[in-house]
Amino acid sequence: MNLLSLLKQRFSTALSGLVDSPTDYLPLIRPAGDPKFGDYQANCAMPLAKVLGKPAKDIAGEIVSRLDVNDICHPPEIAGPGFINLKFKDEFLLQQFVAATIDERVGVEKSSNPQTVIIDYSSPNVAKPMHVGHLRSSVIGAALDKLFRFLGHHVTSDNHIGDWGTQFGRIIYGYKNFLDEAAYNTNPVGELSRLYRLVNQLSDYHELKTGLPKLEATVAELTDNLATAEAAPLDKKDKAAAQKLKDLRNALTAAKEEVVSAKSKIASVESNADLSAKAQAHPEIARLARVETAKLHQNDAENLALWHKFLPECLKAMDQVYDRLDIKFDMTLGESYYQPMLADVVSDLEKRGLAKESQGAMCVFIEDNSAPFIVRKADGAYTYATTDLATIQDRVERLHANTILYVVDARQSEHFQLLFKTAALWKYPHATLKHISFGTVMGEDRKPYKTRSGDTVGLESLLDEAVVRAKAIVEENESLKRDEDAKLSSDDIQLIAQRIGIGGIKYADLKHHRESDYVFNWDKMLAKKGDTATYIQYAYARVCSIFRKGNIDREQLRHDKSFKLTLTEPLERAMVIKILRFEEILEDAAADYRPNILCQYLFEIADLFSAFFDQHHVLNADNETVKKSRLKLCDITARVMNQGLGLLGIETIEQM
Ligand code: ARG
């Protein structure tokens, strides 16, 4: 049951006699900010006053007189300039509460309009170990995956791995020239990634070495220009001149930094005898690596065999990370899967007059967009764009998707804009294509999160560290326990540490609005108090302990109909309303693809429960009626927390 939708229906009927488009005003019905104004509040009278040219208070009166909520609410009250306050009747809440209690889905109905959704998430480029940059797509994608399934949509998750890119040319070149066989045998992906970095470093070296004189010339030129500009008399009112000076200074700083960085990269090769010898022996490395990629793409037997040798190793390494994150995909169709379709995609685009030749390349020109969407490069190579178009074709035509969600970081937003516009012009104007974009994980220095030595943070080591830190917290907690019986076994401690550690990382990621960047902070994410997974997991365990202590069979309790819901305490009522809002929250989170809405809700529930439990007795309540009512409330609170955390991919613990 979605309480808000129910109210919206009633308001829609009431408003339809007053305005042409009642739906425009329905978003103005919201949960009340303060319980003293009721449970929900409708603020539609104020904007309607402007439309209808009458005082808002009169309009509120008119809406209320047309509104039929007698069966569910107390008589609506009009407050202030024209707010309509709504408070549910206890009988109605009881009825809904009972329905939720006996329902496996705690009262959440499935969508009446289920969509066939493909969620494209995680999608790393393979042959490099996964790093912190892959965390967000994996965690947000998995949460949306679970959420949409729970709401009854037909979801297929697809890990659209980059398994056909230019990195393979570099790896193949590295493998043919610099392989450390023993290292490959013990840790294939580690060795492949070393080779990849080595080939990159050597390619960069030659490129920088060639480019350095030009960079230095730029610095000299900018220095001259700046000196001339600074020598000219400064007219303080001339804003354009001031701006020009500023731009010049910035450009000079940037150019100087580029020179410093180039020199340091060059030096790091030249100061190392081995690297330097390799660089001298492979002057054409960048071009030759591109040749290896091209050969692979033309199905050269040797390179294809190497690709088939590397790929399973890469997938195995990725699966280890997914296992730890408890993420499963319905399919992992990498870019390579779509390669046989690309030629047809381009010729079809061309046939329809969408793709045109420009300087040897085939491009789709989209109105109002300066950059064309290149679907075949001048050298004949297909692109990321072509693959993504073929992917849409396959997903819509073979898998019958009507919605495709791409959980990919914000830096690719231009690609997706062009992709979606091209797809609509091509054959798929009715498919819902959405870029679920997200921000960056930052370090305390507010720059993308790196290790102290400046390397990207590996995802596996991050997960390891989370568990180690969580374990220290659990152990400290144990040492404070006075009751010997409450002490945990070492297996339990390990399991709890895992759930708290991994849950903590996931929650810290999901609780932020996905579009914003966030700062990675271990202490904050594992804190026992505050907006953390630990706090909610702890609240959950506290509820479980009530049932343990009272020796209560929860299953039996749930189906016991001989009870009265006591809502005398404001916190009891607040909890009931909160519980009954679960469906509304899930639908909101799904509508905006925002797991943080669910995080916020779970945090509020944990907070309410903690306040309630601190102030009121459950097992020692004044009488049996109150006790049973509160036990039921505790039981459903725990179930909502468990279900909600589960949708976020976070596991609960019965005893902590
Ligand atoms: N492999 C890409 C990357 O790491 C992300 C792929 C996202 N999905 C897609 N269909 N383009 O940047």
Side-chain angles (χ1 to χ4, degrees), residues 120 122-125 134 160-162 335 384 388 391 395 406-408 412 415-416:
D120 175 328
S122 194
S123 308
N125 292 333
H134 297 116
H160 186 82
I161 54 174
E335 292 177 1
Y384 187 49
D388 260 334
T391 308
R395 287 172 178 171
Y406 297 82
V407 189
V408 183
Q412 295 195 24
H415 165 75
F416 286 109

Side-chain angles (χ1 to χ4, degrees), residues 218-256:
T218 309
V219 170
E221 193 187 323
L222 285 169
T223 310
D224 279 353
N225 292 352
L226 186 62
T228 319
E230 278 174 339
L234 183 67
D235 172 2
K236 280 199 178 132
K237 281 193 207 116
D238 186 350
K239 288 225 171 93
Q243 185 60 43
K244 205 176 143 197
L245 211 57
K246 205 170 147 200
D247 290 347
L248 261 176
R249 285 197 187 108
N250 287 342
L252 180 59
T253 314
K256 278 184 178 164

